[in-house]
Amino acid sequence: MSVRSTLRAFPTLLRVGISEAVAYRAEMFVWVLSTTMPFISMALWTAVARYSPVGRYGSGDFVRYFLAAFVVRQMTGAWAAWQINFEVRQGTLAMRLLRPVSPLWCYAAENLGSFPMRLFLVVPVTLFSVYQVGAGSVPQTAWGWVFFFVSLAGGWLITFLANVAIGTMSLYMESSTKLMDVWVALFFVFSGYLYPVDLFPSALRWLLEWLPFRYQIGLPVELMTNAHGFGEALGLLARQWLWVGLMLLVAVGLWKRGLKRFAAFGG
């Protein structure tokens, strides 16, 4: 199927994804419970900053940051790696390959289909953040909103494409779940999910500027909380989308080469 035909079919795939998310809403709820780590970090860091700021963060700043981290985590989540790994091992990937649409578009639609349900959490948490710690919890300029949504899209694409690349590795080895565990561990430490990236020592922070993890969570959170001026935000967005392009090349390249080996694993 051509790209044009695939794009015409994508809204239908999205509707299917939304229906699946509604049907499996209990699993969605369990997944959301597993992403509440920013609330724990918020309690810890606000206690630390109660008597003196940590870096540029006072207690209110930490509340604003970690509520934003929870919101961004909901809007950039993906689980394609576990899905691909399971379907390769069970051989059910063959059923997807019989369809006229690439399985990668189907995985994307199924992951994006959960977004409407996540909004039921994201909107109240955002409104609470504005009420509790002020209007600085959301972008204060028109370009800030545009940059924030662009960074959200970039963060989701990096997460999804990393999932595809690592899930596809199950076509080359027995299972890729351990690789995903390593990626998730690095994500927790270096993405800004557990603590702001700018609290790292300067030498390590320079390294993080060139790794993909910061652009999954940290950059959208920083843009949501007005941490950067126009020029700096534009430069960071450019790096984020360079990572999107690189991850796209890696994920699609691994997928196309890996499918040639699928017959050895199909059940």
Side-chain angles (χ1 to χ4, degrees):
M1 181 177 277
S2 66
V3 174
R4 183 179 179 182
S5 299
T6 300
L7 291 177
R8 289 176 61 184
F10 197 67
T12 303
L13 294 175
L14 271 179
R15 285 195 291 272
V16 173
I18 293 170
S19 299
E20 289 182 350
V22 172
Y24 295 101
R25 53 190 177 276
E27 284 83 353
M28 278 293 302
F29 178 69
V30 172
W31 184 84
V32 168
L33 290 180
S34 72
T35 61
T36 53
M37 193 62 194
F39 295 146
I40 299 172
S41 294
M42 181 173 66
L44 293 174
W45 283 102
T46 52
V48 171
R50 184 169 301 158
Y51 300 105
S52 65
V54 179
R56 65 180 179 86
Y57 295 91
S59 295
D61 298 316
F62 277 123
V63 172
R64 180 181 293 118
Y65 181 92
F66 286 112
L67 289 178
F70 177 79
V71 167
V72 171
R73 180 76 171 97
Q74 299 307 312
M75 302 307 291
T76 57
W79 59 85
W82 294 275
Q83 200 172 3
I84 296 172
N85 184 75
F86 176 82
E87 293 183 1
V88 169
R89 297 191 65 181
Q90 297 297 315
T92 53
L93 178 62
M95 300 300 293
R96 288 188 184 270
L97 294 173
L98 291 175
R99 301 174 184 173
V101 180
S102 168
L104 297 186
W105 286 98
C106 297
Y107 292 132
E110 290 169 12
N111 281 245
L112 288 171
S114 65
F115 276 25
M117 291 193 64
R118 296 183 194 185
L119 287 176
F120 285 106
L121 286 170
V122 165
V123 172
V125 170
T126 303
L127 293 176
F128 174 79
S129 182
V130 171
Y131 171 76
Q132 187 66 26
V133 287
S137 299
V138 293
Q140 296 296 293
T141 60
W143 65 262
W145 279 105
V146 173
F147 281 14
F148 169 61
F149 284 118
V150 171
S151 70
L152 266 187
W156 183 83
L157 281 169
I158 292 174
T159 304
F160 175 72
L161 292 170
N163 268 256
V164 170
I166 295 173
T168 301
M169 291 304 294
S170 59
L171 292 163
Y172 299 86
M173 58 182 66
E174 184 177 353
S175 172
S176 63
T177 54
K178 295 300 182 186
L179 284 177
M180 195 61 202
D181 290 343
V182 172
W183 175 275
V184 170
L186 293 172
F187 164 80
F188 280 159
V189 175
F190 296 130
S191 69
Y193 183 56
L194 299 181
Y195 31 81
V197 171
D198 51 357
L199 293 184
F200 279 93
S202 57
L204 186 55
R205 193 166 61 242
W206 179 86
L207 174 63
L208 298 186
E209 298 286 335
W210 298 99
L211 294 177
F213 309 106
R214 187 247 180 107
Y215 303 103
Q216 293 179 264
I217 292 284
L219 178 59
V221 170
E222 292 160 13
L223 293 179
M224 185 174 179
T225 54
N226 307 282
H228 302 294
F230 182 87
E232 188 179 8
L234 192 61
L236 290 168
L237 277 178
R239 289 184 188 178
Q240 183 192 45
W241 282 85
L242 281 176
W243 269 110
V244 171
L246 179 61
M247 297 298 289
L248 179 64
L249 290 175
V250 171
V252 173
L254 286 173
W255 175 260
K256 288 184 175 178
R257 291 177 64 87
L259 282 185
K260 297 176 182 177
R261 305 164 59 93
F262 178 61
F265 294 88

